[in-house]
Amino acid sequence: MPQRLRILFISPEVEPFAKTGGLADVAGALPKALARLGHDVRVLMPKFRGVERHAGALTPVIARLRVPIGDRTQEGALLEGRMGQVPMYFLAQDHYYDRDGLYGTPEGDFWDNCERFVFFCRAAVEALRVLGWTPQVIHANDWQSGLVPVYLETLYRDDPALTKIATLFTIHNLAYQGVFWHYDMPMTGLGWDLLTPAGIEFYGKINFLKGGLAFSDLLSTVSRTYAREIQTPEFGCGLEGVLQERSPVLHGVVNGIDYDVWNPASDPAIPKGYTAQDLQGKRACKLALQGELGLAQEPVPLLGMVTRLVEQKGLNLVLDALPGLLAEGVQLALLGTGDPALEQAFSQAAREHAGRVAVSLGYDAALAHRIYAGADFFLMPSRYEPCGLGQLISLRYGTIPLVRWTGGLADTVIEFDSGKQTGTGFGFAPFSHGALLECARRALTVYRQPGLWTRLIRNAMAADFSWEASAREYVSLYRKALKAAAP
Ligand code: ADP
């Protein structure tokens, strides 16, 4: 029986408590998968407004947690709840976290984000000194927890309760780094000697993510291809040098999805369930979706998109390719929210092509399920994509992904080969709408051959991206981190 590990998973967002993106999905599912493998895993996140709705009654475990912030002490508390079998620690500090929005409002980021997440990181470390439970491994995620490994290696280096903790830091999206002006340095409590290229300095500013990259025992990101890409200037967002230096300890582990939540056979959000053997329900889901969104209920190929409306997702390619796609007779159903200019452009397209293009602006989990189930294809022409969950969900629902070959998209979708009848989707490499169109035409050729099409759907549904395999890979990284951290 391999040793049971004590793991503290630190994440700013965890589904279902608080979510802005894919990290929340990971943080909601990976800890449960680790627990199923027998490990003692616990999760720490801020007590954002509304988490109680999903967490039920919370029990205080540290009633008064005193955390140094610059030359002041800021008080918080640690409350315990549960996520299935997994203990959840919520760091409460209402002045920082009891607000609408996690990091800001539509007008922009909160002005005190540096302070809010200095507090989060430092409180995490302070809590471990008094909690009565010490993890062997801390798994920190994204810039919001980037200072945790820094504190462990500097201010708390000689704390006997903390010295042996190994750290793994995971990058879910390198583009979000938590960069703040240097005047905030005293608030971190870290010495000015850390505001240097070898420390957390980035073009004269403080960079939380860089802290995570430079001070953790092991690094990972959410696909092998993205792990390679971020070491190049094109994808490195200015941190490619640091990542090249740390290349020997940088790993790629692809995300899974929660197969209980995403299951076309039992999904309560879709009008009719279905399986790979019996796809009748999928046809019913498509008809219902067309009806719901005001699309013509015709047997034409339906492209779905569920996405943040940001430049990263290649939405301009979709807008440019739209006339060509419509000429092929397809319909488009898009659910998303984000950049006002993109929201406007897609709304305009929906008005111009009523009955053929449907655009729903907003965040709507249930509609997302119905699009994953009801569409024939799922479009993800991202400029870059650390892992991507949309294509994994759509595979599970037999909705064929059309992707750009980048990051996790390249690692999880396999081009369909009509001759061998292998593969799960279609992809293209150049970031151009012409390449997207050409890819869509290839896909439509298969769509029009019912025998081949059913085979492709079954291949997609047979792909396995449940969390178990990825959770096992993380366990082997935790063990590696422990070895790396051993004195
Ligand atoms: P990212 O983390 O870059 O946003 P991912 O593909 O990794 O992209 O994860 C996005 C997740 O958020 C998926 O689970 C997707 O279904 C969901 N999602 C994105 N936009 C919406 C929306 N408007 N409504 C509902 N779910 C959404």
Side-chain angles (χ1 to χ4, degrees):
M1 176 74 188
Q3 186 206 4
R4 181 173 192 246
L5 295 174
R6 292 186 310 278
I7 306 150
L8 180 65
F9 192 93
I10 303 183
S11 172
E13 40 187 280
V14 182
E15 165 82 6
F17 308 106
K19 169 169 173 173
T20 66
L23 166 59
D25 297 85
V26 175
L30 172 59
K32 287 190 227 157
L34 292 166
R36 281 196 296 272
L37 294 177
H39 299 286
D40 177 4
V41 54
R42 308 182 185 193
V43 179
L44 172 69
M45 69 174 287
K47 184 175 170 288
F48 287 120
R49 176 172 290 177
V51 301
E52 311 82 307
R53 275 204 300 279
H54 306 277
L58 300 178
T59 329
V61 281
I62 305 175
R64 297 184 67 187
L65 181 64
R66 296 168 64 78
V67 181
I69 294 288
D71 54 10
R72 297 176 287 125
T73 301
Q74 187 68 264
E75 211 170 272
L78 197 69
L79 309 178
E80 186 172 344
R82 293 196 93 70
M83 172 171 69
Q85 293 307 306
V86 176
M88 287 290 309
Y89 293 121
F90 294 99
L91 179 65
Q93 214 302 333
D94 286 351
H95 169 66
Y96 292 143
Y97 306 129
D98 187 25
R99 306 178 183 179
D100 285 337
L102 305 192
Y103 315 123
T105 64
E107 278 70 54
D109 289 347
F110 293 131
W111 66 273
D112 56 351
N113 272 348
C114 183
E115 184 172 337
R116 295 170 79 227
F117 291 99
V118 162
F119 180 83
F120 180 56
C121 294
R122 192 132 187 206
V125 179
E126 286 288 339
L128 290 178
R129 303 172 75 193
V130 288
L131 184 61
W133 176 86
T134 318
Q136 292 160 288
V137 182
I138 286 182
H139 185 171
N141 295 275
D142 275 0
W143 73 264
Q144 296 88 339
S145 44
L147 293 190
V148 171
V150 184
Y151 285 130
L152 287 174
E153 285 293 316
T154 57
L155 299 184
Y156 297 84
R157 199 184 165 82
D158 298 321
D159 190 312
L162 307 174
T163 46
K164 285 198 187 129
I165 299 176
T167 48
L168 168 66
F169 184 80
T170 299
I171 307 155
H172 297 261
N173 190 335
L174 192 64
Y176 301 88
Q177 300 182 357
V179 175
F180 303 99
W181 67 352
H182 67 282
Y183 292 109
D184 282 336
M185 201 58 193
M187 188 158 56
T188 65
L190 298 165
W192 284 100
D193 56 321
L194 285 183
L195 198 71
T196 50
I200 61 174
E201 186 263 354
F202 186 70
Y203 296 99
K205 295 186 172 168
I206 301 169
N207 185 319
F208 275 48
L209 188 83
K210 188 176 171 193
L213 302 184
F215 288 83
S216 304
D217 295 310
L218 228 58
L219 305 177
S220 77
T221 186
V222 288
S223 68
R224 290 206 167 92
T225 297
Y226 193 60
R228 277 196 306 276
E229 287 172 340
I230 56 179
Q231 298 179 47
T232 67
E234 190 187 347
F235 295 92
C237 304
L239 290 174
E240 60 274 11
V242 185
L243 288 160
Q244 281 161 22
E245 228 168 86
R246 302 229 63 201
S247 185
V249 298
L250 170 60
H251 299 262
V253 181
V254 85
N255 289 332
I257 52 171
D258 189 332
Y259 270 29
D260 296 331
V261 175
W262 301 107
N263 182 355
S266 62
D267 187 336
I270 65 176
K272 197 162 193 302
Y274 59 94
T275 62
Q277 285 66 48
D278 181 1
L279 291 165
Q280 231 178 350
K282 184 159 178 60
R283 287 186 280 277
C285 288
K286 177 174 174 181
L287 259 182
L289 182 67
Q290 287 173 318
E292 174 182 357
L293 298 178
L295 294 167
Q297 284 175 312
E298 290 163 1
V300 295
L302 174 53
L303 300 186
M305 295 189 81
V306 179
T307 181
R308 290 184 296 125
L309 294 178
V310 291
E311 202 268 346
Q312 175 202 338
K313 301 294 179 179
L315 293 151
N316 285 313
L317 294 192
V318 180
L319 288 169
D320 291 344
L322 197 57
L325 290 170
L326 293 173
E328 297 288 333
V330 309
Q331 296 178 341
L332 174 68
L334 176 139
L335 166 64
T337 174
D339 179 355
L342 287 168
E343 290 193 351
Q344 213 188 341
F346 277 101
S347 303
Q348 170 82 14
R351 278 194 299 275
E352 277 170 21
H353 307 285
R356 306 186 60 201
V357 175
V359 171
S360 311
L361 298 180
Y363 192 93
D364 185 338
L367 177 56
H369 281 249
R370 295 195 292 277
I371 292 178
Y372 283 117
D376 296 301
F377 294 99
F378 193 79
L379 193 51
M380 253 176 118
S382 308
R383 183 183 286 283
Y384 70 94
E385 196 60 74
C387 175
L389 298 174
Q391 84 283 15
L392 304 182
I393 300 169
S394 63
L395 286 169
R396 173 85 164 145
Y397 281 73
T399 300
I400 302 308
L402 299 187
V403 303
R404 185 162 167 265
W405 297 133
T406 184
L409 298 172
D411 293 0
T412 56
V413 177
I414 304 165
E415 177 82 18
F416 185 66
D417 180 326
S418 305
K420 297 192 194 120
Q421 304 203 356
T422 55
T424 54
F426 301 90
F428 62 98
F431 190 77
S432 74
H433 73 275
L436 190 165
L437 257 182
E438 197 271 324
C439 170
R441 290 194 184 111
R442 230 169 39 240
L444 291 171
T445 313
V446 176
Y447 175 85
R448 294 187 189 107
Q449 303 172 66
L452 267 189
W453 180 243
T454 304
R455 177 60 195 257
L456 170 54
I457 291 178
R458 293 203 168 124
N459 288 357
M461 292 180 81
D464 183 1
F465 290 101
S466 58
W467 264 106
E468 190 179 320
S470 304
R472 284 183 197 281
E473 281 192 58
Y474 275 111
V475 172
S476 73
L477 289 189
Y478 298 150
R479 294 195 196 284
K480 232 185 218 153
L482 276 166
K483 273 201 196 121

